[in-house]
Amino acid sequence: MASPERFTHAGATLVAERRGAGPPVYVLIHGIGMGRTVFADLTRHLGDGETVALDLPGYGEAPEPPRVPTIERNADLVAAYLRARVKAPAVIVGHSMGAQVALEVAARHPGAVQGIVLVGPTVEPSARTAPRQLWRLLRDIAVEHPRVIALGAREYLRAGPRLRTKFRAMLVHRPEDVFARTDVPALVLRGEDDVVAPQAWCRQVAAALPQGRFEEVEGHGHETMIRDAAPAARLIREFARAL
C-alpha cells in the first residue's frame, strides 16, 4: 500500500489513500465533517479492485484552502485528480454530502466516471435549511453505534472552525438540478433506518437519474458505509460488475 498522496488543483488540495489494484477503481468520497478514515471497513469489504479513499479540502488530513470550495469545485478537483493519477473511468461512491460531489463529477466530467453510487444522498429540497439538516443528523447520531459516534466526533474536530461555512456550501447546492445531466449508471443506496436521507427522497433521486436504480440496506441508518459495511459493499460490487 502506497502512502497517502496529496494532489493540488486550482488552489485546493485533496489527500488520497489507495489500496489494491483495479479494475474496478472505487473512489470513496466522504460526507460533511468526515474524512477518508471512516471508509476503513468498506475498503476491506470491497476488495475486488482498487479503492481510492479521499479527504476533500479542509477535511481529514487535507489542508484548508483559502476559501471553502463549492460542491462543484470539489467535483472539479476530484475529476482533475482522476485524470492525472487514476487515468481510467472510476466508480465514484459518495456518502451523504459526498453523494452531491459524486453527482457533480459525473455531470461535469462524464469521461472520468464509469458509474456512481449515491449513499444516503443529501440534501432533500424540502429540508434545505440548516436547522432541519442538523436535527436529522442529531436524530441519526442518537441511535448510532458508539464506534460510529467516536469516528465521527474525531473527524468533525479535524474539519475545524470553518465547518459552518462548509455546511452552508452543502446546503446551497441543488442536486435536483443536476439529475437529468447525469447520464451514467447510478445506484442510489440507503440504510432502511436513515433519517437524514428519507426513502421517498432516495427513490425520487433514483427515478430522476437517467440510469438510476434504488437499493436499501436492512438494519442500517445513515452511516451504512461506516458501520458493518459488508451489506453495502456487496451491493456496490454487484453494481460495478454489471457496468
Side-chain angles (χ1 to χ4, degrees):
M1 179 188 68
S3 298
E5 60 181 347
R6 288 190 173 200
F7 177 81
T8 301
H9 172 77
T13 299
L14 60 74
V15 172
E17 184 173 350
R18 302 176 71 160
R19 293 175 180 264
V25 179
Y26 300 103
V27 176
L28 312 181
I29 306 177
H30 59 81
I32 187 77
M34 296 294 182
R36 73 182 194 278
T37 60
V38 300
F39 294 129
D41 194 47
L42 179 66
T43 297
R44 282 194 295 270
H45 286 291
L46 286 175
D48 61 341
E50 180 179 13
T51 60
V52 185
L54 303 181
D55 287 335
L56 294 175
Y59 294 94
E61 295 181 332
E64 287 281 359
R67 296 179 61 185
V68 171
T70 62
I71 296 294
E72 293 86 349
R73 295 285 80 78
N74 274 319
D76 292 345
L77 172 61
V78 172
Y81 170 79
L82 294 177
R83 287 192 295 267
R85 303 287 174 85
V86 177
K87 301 179 181 179
V91 179
I92 314 294
V93 183
H95 173 241
S96 198
M97 179 196 74
Q100 294 173 247
V101 178
L103 187 70
E104 286 287 355
V105 174
R108 297 165 72 86
H109 308 277
V113 178
Q114 188 179 15
I116 57 173
V117 182
L118 310 181
V119 186
T122 47
V123 291
E124 181 187 6
S126 64
R128 190 178 281 123
T129 67
R132 288 189 178 185
Q133 288 295 311
L134 286 169
W135 175 238
R136 287 183 176 184
L137 285 168
L138 288 171
R139 286 171 59 205
D140 181 75
I141 290 169
V143 298
E144 267 300 349
H145 190 277
R147 176 175 173 272
V148 173
I149 294 172
L151 277 171
R154 183 184 68 177
E155 293 301 333
Y156 266 78
L157 287 172
R158 293 170 78 181
R162 300 173 73 184
L163 187 57
R164 182 177 179 180
T165 308
K166 295 168 186 175
F167 199 77
R168 189 179 304 121
M170 180 189 81
L171 289 177
V172 299
H173 179 252
R174 298 174 57 88
E176 67 273 20
D177 294 344
V178 186
F179 296 149
R181 297 188 284 112
T182 311
D183 196 6
V184 300
L187 171 63
V188 180
L189 196 57
R190 174 184 182 271
E192 68 168 344
D193 301 321
D194 190 342
V195 297
V196 179
Q199 187 187 76
W201 163 240
C202 291
R203 288 189 178 279
Q204 180 184 335
V205 172
L209 291 163
Q211 300 184 58
R213 67 183 179 90
F214 172 78
E215 294 281 356
E216 206 162 54
V217 179
E218 184 178 351
H220 283 66
H222 192 58
E223 310 305 333
T224 183
M225 293 208 304
I226 299 173
R227 176 184 60 83
D228 181 23
R234 177 180 58 79
L235 291 169
I236 294 168
R237 290 197 311 270
E238 289 175 358
F239 170 74
R241 282 197 292 267
L243 297 175

